[in-house]
Amino acid sequence: MSKNKKKEFDKYSKNYKRVLKNSFPKLLRNIDYYSEYKVQKVFNLRKKLNTKSIMDFGCGIGLSHNFFFKYFPKIKLWGFDESLYSLKEAKKNNKNVMIVNNLKKIPKNYFDVIFVSNVFHHIDEKNHKNTLLHLKLFLKPNGSIYIFEHNKFNPITKIIFSTHILDKNAKMVPVQNFYKLAKNCEMKLIKKKYILFFPSILSFFNILDSILEWLPLGAQYLITLKKS
């Protein structure tokens, strides 16, 4: 991430949630719904797996942290971000999270889960491989990386992305990029699914997610990676 992008997130750290919320149409402004939805997705994929440690990579102000403790109450949770001001807000919001700003301070082969929600589109494409290789180092041999990104085929997502002040210097990452990226980093792509078909007011339709996950019309997609 460039210095300008770091400063951009520093500037919005104290009112990030409000800025994020206002970027959505009125019927789609339940920000906590999206945060919990994605954490719950990871939880559902790991019901039969032992999860002791999670890193929220690019955690920002920690919008997902309370939901991690809701679904994984006994975990050790780490949050990494390059924006120091955002991390200060994250620490205020939940003091039980190990907050770090330096990749060198993150233990290797330590995490069962690395959660990366809407981060890669803020990273220069030339740095995607190096970023994923770092994440691979932090992952346990049997751990998983869960990457959530915007789906460019969803018309509402495209409109919101193109007008969102926090995404003005960002670039959407096509799902196909992760196929090549995984191969170049010698990782296995375990699962790809499209998600977020319904807003919070229609969340009772989420029971259809497993039927629709192949359809490239969800607002976002989820990629699951493991070490080869």
Side-chain angles (χ1 to χ4, degrees), residues 173-216:
V173 185
V175 66
Q176 293 84 355
N177 285 28
F178 283 104
Y179 304 160
K180 182 179 179 180
L181 192 60
K183 184 177 180 180
N184 289 341
C185 294
E186 296 183 350
M187 298 196 74
K188 291 186 290 187
L189 198 156
I190 304 300
K191 187 179 289 289
K192 177 204 76 176
K193 58 169 64 180
Y194 293 96
I195 62 168
L196 281 171
F197 289 91
F198 308 104
S200 58
I201 57 172
L202 297 175
S203 61
F204 49 87
F205 283 123
N206 286 341
I207 58 172
L208 301 176
D209 276 6
S210 60
I211 300 173
L212 298 172
E213 62 184 34
W214 63 272
L215 187 66

mmCIF file of all heavy atoms in Angstrom, residues 173-216:
data_model
loop_
_atom_site.group_PDB
_atom_site.id
_atom_site.type_symbol
_atom_site.label_atom_id
_atom_site.label_comp_id
_atom_site.label_asym_id
_atom_site.label_seq_id
_atom_site.Cartn_x
_atom_site.Cartn_y
_atom_site.Cartn_z
ATOM 1 N N VAL A 173 -10.307 -6.407 -8.066
ATOM 2 C CA VAL A 173 -9.485 -7.573 -8.401
ATOM 3 C C VAL A 173 -10.390 -8.662 -8.974
ATOM 4 O O VAL A 173 -11.201 -9.240 -8.241
ATOM 5 C CB VAL A 173 -8.744 -8.111 -7.157
ATOM 6 C CG1 VAL A 173 -7.800 -9.242 -7.570
ATOM 7 C CG2 VAL A 173 -7.979 -6.995 -6.444
ATOM 8 N N PRO A 174 -10.278 -8.962 -10.267
ATOM 9 C CA PRO A 174 -11.089 -10.048 -10.837
ATOM 10 C C PRO A 174 -10.770 -11.368 -10.151
ATOM 11 O O PRO A 174 -9.625 -11.635 -9.782
ATOM 12 C CB PRO A 174 -10.648 -10.078 -12.308
ATOM 13 C CG PRO A 174 -10.056 -8.732 -12.565
ATOM 14 C CD PRO A 174 -9.423 -8.316 -11.267
ATOM 15 N N VAL A 175 -11.776 -12.195 -9.970
ATOM 16 C CA VAL A 175 -11.585 -13.461 -9.262
ATOM 17 C C VAL A 175 -10.528 -14.321 -9.936
ATOM 18 O O VAL A 175 -9.778 -15.058 -9.275
ATOM 19 C CB VAL A 175 -12.933 -14.208 -9.135
ATOM 20 C CG1 VAL A 175 -13.452 -14.645 -10.493
ATOM 21 C CG2 VAL A 175 -12.811 -15.396 -8.197
ATOM 22 N N GLN A 176 -10.407 -14.215 -11.264
ATOM 23 C CA GLN A 176 -9.436 -15.024 -11.998
ATOM 24 C C GLN A 176 -7.995 -14.711 -11.586
ATOM 25 O O GLN A 176 -7.112 -15.565 -11.714
ATOM 26 C CB GLN A 176 -9.589 -14.806 -13.508
ATOM 27 C CG GLN A 176 -10.882 -15.320 -14.095
ATOM 28 C CD GLN A 176 -12.028 -14.325 -13.956
ATOM 29 O OE1 GLN A 176 -11.885 -13.272 -13.342
ATOM 30 N NE2 GLN A 176 -13.168 -14.676 -14.532
ATOM 31 N N ASN A 177 -7.764 -13.497 -11.108
ATOM 32 C CA ASN A 177 -6.408 -13.125 -10.686
ATOM 33 C C ASN A 177 -5.887 -14.019 -9.573
ATOM 34 O O ASN A 177 -4.688 -14.288 -9.484
ATOM 35 C CB ASN A 177 -6.374 -11.664 -10.224
ATOM 36 C CG ASN A 177 -6.432 -10.678 -11.375
ATOM 37 O OD1 ASN A 177 -6.995 -10.980 -12.425
ATOM 38 N ND2 ASN A 177 -5.863 -9.502 -11.196
ATOM 39 N N PHE A 178 -6.808 -14.486 -8.721
ATOM 40 C CA PHE A 178 -6.388 -15.311 -7.592
ATOM 41 C C PHE A 178 -6.024 -16.727 -8.025
ATOM 42 O O PHE A 178 -5.285 -17.409 -7.323
ATOM 43 C CB PHE A 178 -7.464 -15.327 -6.510
ATOM 44 C CG PHE A 178 -7.488 -14.065 -5.694
ATOM 45 C CD1 PHE A 178 -8.466 -13.110 -5.903
ATOM 46 C CD2 PHE A 178 -6.510 -13.820 -4.748
ATOM 47 C CE1 PHE A 178 -8.485 -11.930 -5.168
ATOM 48 C CE2 PHE A 178 -6.519 -12.651 -4.006
ATOM 49 C CZ PHE A 178 -7.502 -11.697 -4.218
ATOM 50 N N TYR A 179 -6.519 -17.172 -9.176
ATOM 51 C CA TYR A 179 -6.111 -18.485 -9.690
ATOM 52 C C TYR A 179 -4.614 -18.461 -10.005
ATOM 53 O O TYR A 179 -3.853 -19.347 -9.587
ATOM 54 C CB TYR A 179 -6.886 -18.848 -10.964
ATOM 55 C CG TYR A 179 -8.387 -18.845 -10.850
ATOM 56 C CD1 TYR A 179 -9.183 -18.736 -11.985
ATOM 57 C CD2 TYR A 179 -9.026 -18.949 -9.622
ATOM 58 C CE1 TYR A 179 -10.568 -18.735 -11.899
ATOM 59 C CE2 TYR A 179 -10.394 -18.945 -9.528
ATOM 60 C CZ TYR A 179 -11.168 -18.835 -10.664
ATOM 61 O OH TYR A 179 -12.539 -18.841 -10.569
ATOM 62 N N LYS A 180 -4.197 -17.439 -10.734
ATOM 63 C CA LYS A 180 -2.794 -17.294 -11.109
ATOM 64 C C LYS A 180 -1.936 -16.983 -9.896
ATOM 65 O O LYS A 180 -0.839 -17.519 -9.736
ATOM 66 C CB LYS A 180 -2.646 -16.185 -12.154
ATOM 67 C CG LYS A 180 -1.232 -15.984 -12.651
ATOM 68 C CD LYS A 180 -1.177 -14.883 -13.706
ATOM 69 C CE LYS A 180 0.253 -14.665 -14.182
ATOM 70 N NZ LYS A 180 0.310 -13.576 -15.215
ATOM 71 N N LEU A 181 -2.465 -16.137 -9.009
ATOM 72 C CA LEU A 181 -1.723 -15.746 -7.811
ATOM 73 C C LEU A 181 -1.450 -16.951 -6.915
ATOM 74 O O LEU A 181 -0.341 -17.119 -6.404
ATOM 75 C CB LEU A 181 -2.511 -14.672 -7.051
ATOM 76 C CG LEU A 181 -1.810 -13.930 -5.924
ATOM 77 C CD1 LEU A 181 -0.581 -13.194 -6.453
ATOM 78 C CD2 LEU A 181 -2.766 -12.941 -5.271
ATOM 79 N N ALA A 182 -2.458 -17.784 -6.720
ATOM 80 C CA ALA A 182 -2.293 -18.985 -5.899
ATOM 81 C C ALA A 182 -1.228 -19.901 -6.498
ATOM 82 O O ALA A 182 -0.369 -20.429 -5.776
ATOM 83 C CB ALA A 182 -3.624 -19.724 -5.779
ATOM 84 N N LYS A 183 -1.274 -20.071 -7.805
ATOM 85 C CA LYS A 183 -0.290 -20.924 -8.472
ATOM 86 C C LYS A 183 1.120 -20.364 -8.314
ATOM 87 O O LYS A 183 2.068 -21.104 -8.017
ATOM 88 C CB LYS A 183 -0.638 -21.056 -9.961
ATOM 89 C CG LYS A 183 0.271 -21.990 -10.728
ATOM 90 C CD LYS A 183 -0.183 -22.128 -12.180
ATOM 91 C CE LYS A 183 0.733 -23.069 -12.949
ATOM 92 N NZ LYS A 183 0.299 -23.223 -14.367
ATOM 93 N N ASN A 184 1.274 -19.054 -8.499
ATOM 94 C CA ASN A 184 2.587 -18.416 -8.389
ATOM 95 C C ASN A 184 3.152 -18.465 -6.974
ATOM 96 O O ASN A 184 4.375 -18.431 -6.784
ATOM 97 C CB ASN A 184 2.515 -16.959 -8.857
ATOM 98 C CG ASN A 184 2.325 -16.840 -10.354
ATOM 99 O OD1 ASN A 184 2.578 -17.784 -11.097
ATOM 100 N ND2 ASN A 184 1.871 -15.679 -10.809
ATOM 101 N N CYS A 185 2.259 -18.542 -5.993
ATOM 102 C CA CYS A 185 2.688 -18.603 -4.589
ATOM 103 C C CYS A 185 2.703 -20.036 -4.059
ATOM 104 O O CYS A 185 2.888 -20.245 -2.854
ATOM 105 C CB CYS A 185 1.768 -17.735 -3.718
ATOM 106 S SG CYS A 185 1.874 -15.976 -4.079
ATOM 107 N N GLU A 186 2.475 -20.991 -4.940
ATOM 108 C CA GLU A 186 2.458 -22.411 -4.588
ATOM 109 C C GLU A 186 1.463 -22.689 -3.452
ATOM 110 O O GLU A 186 1.787 -23.302 -2.441
ATOM 111 C CB GLU A 186 3.860 -22.892 -4.215
ATOM 112 C CG GLU A 186 4.844 -22.803 -5.381
ATOM 113 C CD GLU A 186 6.222 -23.341 -5.041
ATOM 114 O OE1 GLU A 186 6.476 -23.619 -3.850
ATOM 115 O OE2 GLU A 186 7.038 -23.485 -5.956
ATOM 116 N N MET A 187 0.243 -22.213 -3.671
ATOM 117 C CA MET A 187 -0.846 -22.450 -2.737
ATOM 118 C C MET A 187 -1.983 -23.147 -3.466
ATOM 119 O O MET A 187 -2.107 -23.062 -4.695
ATOM 120 C CB MET A 187 -1.327 -21.138 -2.119
ATOM 121 C CG MET A 187 -0.269 -20.406 -1.308
ATOM 122 S SD MET A 187 -0.985 -19.145 -0.227
ATOM 123 C CE MET A 187 -1.703 -20.199 1.058
ATOM 124 N N LYS A 188 -2.812 -23.840 -2.695
ATOM 125 C CA LYS A 188 -3.958 -24.539 -3.260
ATOM 126 C C LYS A 188 -5.219 -23.694 -3.104
ATOM 127 O O LYS A 188 -5.518 -23.227 -1.997
ATOM 128 C CB LYS A 188 -4.160 -25.885 -2.563
ATOM 129 C CG LYS A 188 -3.089 -26.904 -2.849
ATOM 130 C CD LYS A 188 -3.427 -28.263 -2.248
ATOM 131 C CE LYS A 188 -3.348 -28.236 -0.740
ATOM 132 N NZ LYS A 188 -3.518 -29.595 -0.146
ATOM 133 N N LEU A 189 -5.933 -23.506 -4.197
ATOM 134 C CA LEU A 189 -7.223 -22.828 -4.141
ATOM 135 C C LEU A 189 -8.277 -23.885 -3.827
ATOM 136 O O LEU A 189 -8.592 -24.731 -4.655
ATOM 137 C CB LEU A 189 -7.518 -22.125 -5.463
ATOM 138 C CG LEU A 189 -8.604 -21.050 -5.412
ATOM 139 C CD1 LEU A 189 -8.415 -20.045 -6.550
ATOM 140 C CD2 LEU A 189 -9.991 -21.671 -5.503
ATOM 141 N N ILE A 190 -8.787 -23.854 -2.607
ATOM 142 C CA ILE A 190 -9.701 -24.890 -2.117
ATOM 143 C C ILE A 190 -11.142 -24.628 -2.524
ATOM 144 O O ILE A 190 -11.887 -25.550 -2.865
ATOM 145 C CB ILE A 190 -9.622 -24.997 -0.580
ATOM 146 C CG1 ILE A 190 -8.185 -25.265 -0.134
ATOM 147 C CG2 ILE A 190 -10.563 -26.070 -0.056
ATOM 148 C CD1 ILE A 190 -7.595 -26.548 -0.676
ATOM 149 N N LYS A 191 -11.519 -23.371 -2.492
ATOM 150 C CA LYS A 191 -12.925 -23.058 -2.749
ATOM 151 C C LYS A 191 -13.059 -21.644 -3.303
ATOM 152 O O LYS A 191 -12.337 -20.735 -2.914
ATOM 153 C CB LYS A 191 -13.721 -23.182 -1.446
ATOM 154 C CG LYS A 191 -15.235 -23.047 -1.606
ATOM 155 C CD LYS A 191 -15.944 -23.204 -0.265
ATOM 156 C CE LYS A 191 -15.900 -24.619 0.245
ATOM 157 N NZ LYS A 191 -16.761 -25.531 -0.526
ATOM 158 N N LYS A 192 -14.007 -21.482 -4.222
ATOM 159 C CA LYS A 192 -14.414 -20.165 -4.700
ATOM 160 C C LYS A 192 -15.932 -20.115 -4.645
ATOM 161 O O LYS A 192 -16.603 -21.037 -5.127
ATOM 162 C CB LYS A 192 -13.945 -19.941 -6.134
ATOM 163 C CG LYS A 192 -14.416 -18.592 -6.721
ATOM 164 C CD LYS A 192 -14.474 -18.616 -8.246
ATOM 165 C CE LYS A 192 -15.690 -19.383 -8.741
ATOM 166 N NZ LYS A 192 -15.837 -19.365 -10.212
ATOM 167 N N LYS A 193 -16.465 -19.066 -4.050
ATOM 168 C CA LYS A 193 -17.917 -18.947 -4.028
ATOM 169 C C LYS A 193 -18.306 -17.471 -4.075
ATOM 170 O O LYS A 193 -17.598 -16.602 -3.558
ATOM 171 C CB LYS A 193 -18.511 -19.617 -2.790
ATOM 172 C CG LYS A 193 -18.003 -19.073 -1.453
ATOM 173 C CD LYS A 193 -18.839 -19.593 -0.280
ATOM 174 C CE LYS A 193 -18.725 -21.084 -0.122
ATOM 175 N NZ LYS A 193 -19.530 -21.575 1.014
ATOM 176 N N TYR A 194 -19.442 -17.199 -4.677
ATOM 177 C CA TYR A 194 -19.999 -15.845 -4.681
ATOM 178 C C TYR A 194 -20.927 -15.710 -3.481
ATOM 179 O O TYR A 194 -21.636 -16.657 -3.116
ATOM 180 C CB TYR A 194 -20.740 -15.573 -5.993
ATOM 181 C CG TYR A 194 -19.802 -15.522 -7.177
ATOM 182 C CD1 TYR A 194 -19.599 -16.651 -7.969
ATOM 183 C CD2 TYR A 194 -19.104 -14.361 -7.484
ATOM 184 C CE1 TYR A 194 -18.719 -16.618 -9.044
ATOM 185 C CE2 TYR A 194 -18.215 -14.322 -8.549
ATOM 186 C CZ TYR A 194 -18.033 -15.446 -9.326
ATOM 187 O OH TYR A 194 -17.152 -15.425 -10.372
ATOM 188 N N ILE A 195 -20.902 -14.537 -2.879
ATOM 189 C CA ILE A 195 -21.631 -14.325 -1.623
ATOM 190 C C ILE A 195 -22.359 -12.978 -1.649
ATOM 191 O O ILE A 195 -22.240 -12.220 -2.603
ATOM 192 C CB ILE A 195 -20.680 -14.371 -0.411
ATOM 193 C CG1 ILE A 195 -19.642 -13.250 -0.501
ATOM 194 C CG2 ILE A 195 -20.003 -15.733 -0.301
ATOM 195 C CD1 ILE A 195 -18.861 -13.036 0.773
ATOM 196 N N LEU A 196 -23.089 -12.724 -0.576
ATOM 197 C CA LEU A 196 -23.821 -11.466 -0.384
ATOM 198 C C LEU A 196 -24.806 -11.207 -1.532
ATOM 199 O O LEU A 196 -24.726 -10.194 -2.226
ATOM 200 C CB LEU A 196 -22.854 -10.294 -0.220
ATOM 201 C CG LEU A 196 -22.229 -10.146 1.168
ATOM 202 C CD1 LEU A 196 -21.121 -9.102 1.159
ATOM 203 C CD2 LEU A 196 -23.285 -9.777 2.208
ATOM 204 N N PHE A 197 -25.738 -12.107 -1.677
ATOM 205 C CA PHE A 197 -26.787 -11.940 -2.675
ATOM 206 C C PHE A 197 -27.934 -11.072 -2.156
ATOM 207 O O PHE A 197 -28.677 -10.485 -2.936
ATOM 208 C CB PHE A 197 -27.340 -13.310 -3.088
ATOM 209 C CG PHE A 197 -26.384 -14.120 -3.909
ATOM 210 C CD1 PHE A 197 -25.504 -15.002 -3.299
ATOM 211 C CD2 PHE A 197 -26.358 -13.996 -5.289
ATOM 212 C CE1 PHE A 197 -24.612 -15.756 -4.052
ATOM 213 C CE2 PHE A 197 -25.476 -14.742 -6.047
ATOM 214 C CZ PHE A 197 -24.589 -15.619 -5.435
ATOM 215 N N PHE A 198 -28.065 -11.012 -0.811
ATOM 216 C CA PHE A 198 -29.220 -10.334 -0.225
ATOM 217 C C PHE A 198 -28.790 -9.318 0.837
ATOM 218 O O PHE A 198 -27.892 -9.599 1.630
ATOM 219 C CB PHE A 198 -30.167 -11.359 0.407
ATOM 220 C CG PHE A 198 -30.547 -12.476 -0.524
ATOM 221 C CD1 PHE A 198 -29.972 -13.738 -0.394
ATOM 222 C CD2 PHE A 198 -31.472 -12.264 -1.542
ATOM 223 C CE1 PHE A 198 -30.310 -14.770 -1.254
ATOM 224 C CE2 PHE A 198 -31.818 -13.300 -2.406
ATOM 225 C CZ PHE A 198 -31.237 -14.549 -2.267
ATOM 226 N N PRO A 199 -29.437 -8.149 0.881
ATOM 227 C CA PRO A 199 -29.162 -7.168 1.939
ATOM 228 C C PRO A 199 -29.767 -7.623 3.259
ATOM 229 O O PRO A 199 -30.491 -8.628 3.312
ATOM 230 C CB PRO A 199 -29.843 -5.902 1.417
ATOM 231 C CG PRO A 199 -30.975 -6.409 0.583
ATOM 232 C CD PRO A 199 -30.463 -7.676 -0.061
ATOM 233 N N SER A 200 -29.495 -6.875 4.309
ATOM 234 C CA SER A 200 -29.946 -7.282 5.646
ATOM 235 C C SER A 200 -31.466 -7.422 5.745
ATOM 236 O O SER A 200 -31.968 -8.303 6.437
ATOM 237 C CB SER A 200 -29.456 -6.283 6.697
ATOM 238 O OG SER A 200 -29.920 -4.975 6.413
ATOM 239 N N ILE A 201 -32.208 -6.571 5.042
ATOM 240 C CA ILE A 201 -33.673 -6.641 5.137
ATOM 241 C C ILE A 201 -34.221 -7.912 4.482
ATOM 242 O O ILE A 201 -35.367 -8.290 4.712
ATOM 243 C CB ILE A 201 -34.346 -5.396 4.510
ATOM 244 C CG1 ILE A 201 -33.923 -5.233 3.040
ATOM 245 C CG2 ILE A 201 -34.034 -4.153 5.302
ATOM 246 C CD1 ILE A 201 -34.696 -4.138 2.322
ATOM 247 N N LEU A 202 -33.400 -8.571 3.670
ATOM 248 C CA LEU A 202 -33.809 -9.838 3.038
ATOM 249 C C LEU A 202 -32.914 -10.991 3.492
ATOM 250 O O LEU A 202 -32.808 -12.019 2.812
ATOM 251 C CB LEU A 202 -33.735 -9.712 1.507
ATOM 252 C CG LEU A 202 -34.654 -8.685 0.851
ATOM 253 C CD1 LEU A 202 -34.381 -8.600 -0.642
ATOM 254 C CD2 LEU A 202 -36.120 -9.034 1.103
ATOM 255 N N SER A 203 -32.304 -10.839 4.646
ATOM 256 C CA SER A 203 -31.321 -11.821 5.116
ATOM 257 C C SER A 203 -31.917 -13.217 5.328
ATOM 258 O O SER A 203 -31.183 -14.202 5.359
ATOM 259 C CB SER A 203 -30.664 -11.346 6.409
ATOM 260 O OG SER A 203 -31.622 -11.175 7.436
ATOM 261 N N PHE A 204 -33.236 -13.302 5.475
ATOM 262 C CA PHE A 204 -33.855 -14.629 5.644
ATOM 263 C C PHE A 204 -33.668 -15.485 4.390
ATOM 264 O O PHE A 204 -33.816 -16.701 4.436
ATOM 265 C CB PHE A 204 -35.347 -14.497 5.985
ATOM 266 C CG PHE A 204 -36.128 -13.576 5.089
ATOM 267 C CD1 PHE A 204 -36.691 -14.047 3.908
ATOM 268 C CD2 PHE A 204 -36.296 -12.234 5.424
ATOM 269 C CE1 PHE A 204 -37.421 -13.215 3.084
ATOM 270 C CE2 PHE A 204 -37.021 -11.380 4.601
ATOM 271 C CZ PHE A 204 -37.589 -11.866 3.426
ATOM 272 N N PHE A 205 -33.309 -14.850 3.272
ATOM 273 C CA PHE A 205 -33.036 -15.597 2.046
ATOM 274 C C PHE A 205 -31.605 -16.143 1.995
ATOM 275 O O PHE A 205 -31.248 -16.846 1.039
ATOM 276 C CB PHE A 205 -33.263 -14.719 0.811
ATOM 277 C CG PHE A 205 -34.707 -14.529 0.444
ATOM 278 C CD1 PHE A 205 -35.246 -13.257 0.364
ATOM 279 C CD2 PHE A 205 -35.531 -15.616 0.181
ATOM 280 C CE1 PHE A 205 -36.577 -13.069 0.025
ATOM 281 C CE2 PHE A 205 -36.871 -15.439 -0.164
ATOM 282 C CZ PHE A 205 -37.400 -14.159 -0.239
ATOM 283 N N ASN A 206 -30.809 -15.842 3.014
ATOM 284 C CA ASN A 206 -29.429 -16.327 3.028
ATOM 285 C C ASN A 206 -29.337 -17.857 3.076
ATOM 286 O O ASN A 206 -28.277 -18.426 2.802
ATOM 287 C CB ASN A 206 -28.654 -15.725 4.202
ATOM 288 C CG ASN A 206 -28.306 -14.270 3.967
ATOM 289 O OD1 ASN A 206 -28.318 -13.788 2.834
ATOM 290 N ND2 ASN A 206 -27.993 -13.553 5.030
ATOM 291 N N ILE A 207 -30.421 -18.498 3.415
ATOM 292 C CA ILE A 207 -30.445 -19.965 3.405
ATOM 293 C C ILE A 207 -30.230 -20.494 1.981
ATOM 294 O O ILE A 207 -29.914 -21.677 1.799
ATOM 295 C CB ILE A 207 -31.766 -20.524 3.980
ATOM 296 C CG1 ILE A 207 -32.969 -20.004 3.199
ATOM 297 C CG2 ILE A 207 -31.901 -20.188 5.455
ATOM 298 C CD1 ILE A 207 -34.288 -20.641 3.582
ATOM 299 N N LEU A 208 -30.358 -19.624 0.997
ATOM 300 C CA LEU A 208 -30.168 -20.016 -0.402
ATOM 301 C C LEU A 208 -28.727 -19.854 -0.866
ATOM 302 O O LEU A 208 -28.409 -20.188 -2.014
ATOM 303 C CB LEU A 208 -31.084 -19.184 -1.311
ATOM 304 C CG LEU A 208 -32.594 -19.274 -1.059
ATOM 305 C CD1 LEU A 208 -33.340 -18.310 -1.969
ATOM 306 C CD2 LEU A 208 -33.086 -20.700 -1.276
ATOM 307 N N ASP A 209 -27.867 -19.350 0.006
ATOM 308 C CA ASP A 209 -26.481 -19.056 -0.384
ATOM 309 C C ASP A 209 -25.775 -20.252 -1.014
ATOM 310 O O ASP A 209 -25.077 -20.125 -2.020
ATOM 311 C CB ASP A 209 -25.679 -18.578 0.828
ATOM 312 C CG ASP A 209 -25.857 -17.096 1.093
ATOM 313 O OD1 ASP A 209 -26.692 -16.462 0.404
ATOM 314 O OD2 ASP A 209 -25.171 -16.566 1.984
ATOM 315 N N SER A 210 -25.932 -21.411 -0.395
ATOM 316 C CA SER A 210 -25.222 -22.598 -0.882
ATOM 317 C C SER A 210 -25.689 -23.019 -2.274
ATOM 318 O O SER A 210 -24.938 -23.646 -3.025
ATOM 319 C CB SER A 210 -25.393 -23.761 0.101
ATOM 320 O OG SER A 210 -26.765 -24.094 0.247
ATOM 321 N N ILE A 211 -26.922 -22.664 -2.620
ATOM 322 C CA ILE A 211 -27.455 -22.984 -3.942
ATOM 323 C C ILE A 211 -26.958 -21.978 -4.983
ATOM 324 O O ILE A 211 -26.711 -22.330 -6.144
ATOM 325 C CB ILE A 211 -29.004 -22.982 -3.914
ATOM 326 C CG1 ILE A 211 -29.518 -24.028 -2.925
ATOM 327 C CG2 ILE A 211 -29.579 -23.215 -5.306
ATOM 328 C CD1 ILE A 211 -31.013 -23.974 -2.710
ATOM 329 N N LEU A 212 -26.772 -20.725 -4.542
ATOM 330 C CA LEU A 212 -26.436 -19.648 -5.466
ATOM 331 C C LEU A 212 -24.943 -19.362 -5.572
ATOM 332 O O LEU A 212 -24.539 -18.542 -6.409
ATOM 333 C CB LEU A 212 -27.144 -18.357 -5.010
ATOM 334 C CG LEU A 212 -28.670 -18.372 -4.998
ATOM 335 C CD1 LEU A 212 -29.195 -17.101 -4.345
ATOM 336 C CD2 LEU A 212 -29.217 -18.518 -6.407
ATOM 337 N N GLU A 213 -24.114 -20.018 -4.760
ATOM 338 C CA GLU A 213 -22.709 -19.629 -4.661
ATOM 339 C C GLU A 213 -21.933 -19.724 -5.972
ATOM 340 O O GLU A 213 -20.889 -19.097 -6.127
ATOM 341 C CB GLU A 213 -21.994 -20.458 -3.595
ATOM 342 C CG GLU A 213 -21.948 -21.930 -3.864
ATOM 343 C CD GLU A 213 -21.309 -22.714 -2.737
ATOM 344 O OE1 GLU A 213 -21.472 -22.332 -1.561
ATOM 345 O OE2 GLU A 213 -20.631 -23.711 -3.030
ATOM 346 N N TRP A 214 -22.426 -20.480 -6.936
ATOM 347 C CA TRP A 214 -21.774 -20.602 -8.244
ATOM 348 C C TRP A 214 -22.095 -19.420 -9.153
ATOM 349 O O TRP A 214 -21.389 -19.157 -10.142
ATOM 350 C CB TRP A 214 -22.244 -21.883 -8.950
ATOM 351 C CG TRP A 214 -23.727 -21.848 -9.243
ATOM 352 C CD1 TRP A 214 -24.735 -22.258 -8.418
ATOM 353 C CD2 TRP A 214 -24.354 -21.336 -10.427
ATOM 354 N NE1 TRP A 214 -25.954 -22.044 -9.010
ATOM 355 C CE2 TRP A 214 -25.760 -21.475 -10.248
ATOM 356 C CE3 TRP A 214 -23.884 -20.772 -11.614
ATOM 357 C CZ2 TRP A 214 -26.676 -21.062 -11.208
ATOM 358 C CZ3 TRP A 214 -24.799 -20.358 -12.579
ATOM 359 C CH2 TRP A 214 -26.181 -20.514 -12.369
ATOM 360 N N LEU A 215 -23.163 -18.687 -8.833
ATOM 361 C CA LEU A 215 -23.691 -17.635 -9.706
ATOM 362 C C LEU A 215 -22.904 -16.338 -9.527
ATOM 363 O O LEU A 215 -22.878 -15.770 -8.427
ATOM 364 C CB LEU A 215 -25.174 -17.406 -9.380
ATOM 365 C CG LEU A 215 -25.965 -16.459 -10.274
ATOM 366 C CD1 LEU A 215 -26.081 -17.029 -11.683
ATOM 367 C CD2 LEU A 215 -27.357 -16.230 -9.676
ATOM 368 N N PRO A 216 -22.270 -15.826 -10.573
ATOM 369 C CA PRO A 216 -21.406 -14.650 -10.426
ATOM 370 C C PRO A 216 -22.160 -13.330 -10.329
ATOM 371 O O PRO A 216 -21.853 -12.355 -11.015
ATOM 372 C CB PRO A 216 -20.543 -14.700 -11.692
ATOM 373 C CG PRO A 216 -21.388 -15.378 -12.697
ATOM 374 C CD PRO A 216 -22.215 -16.391 -11.933
#
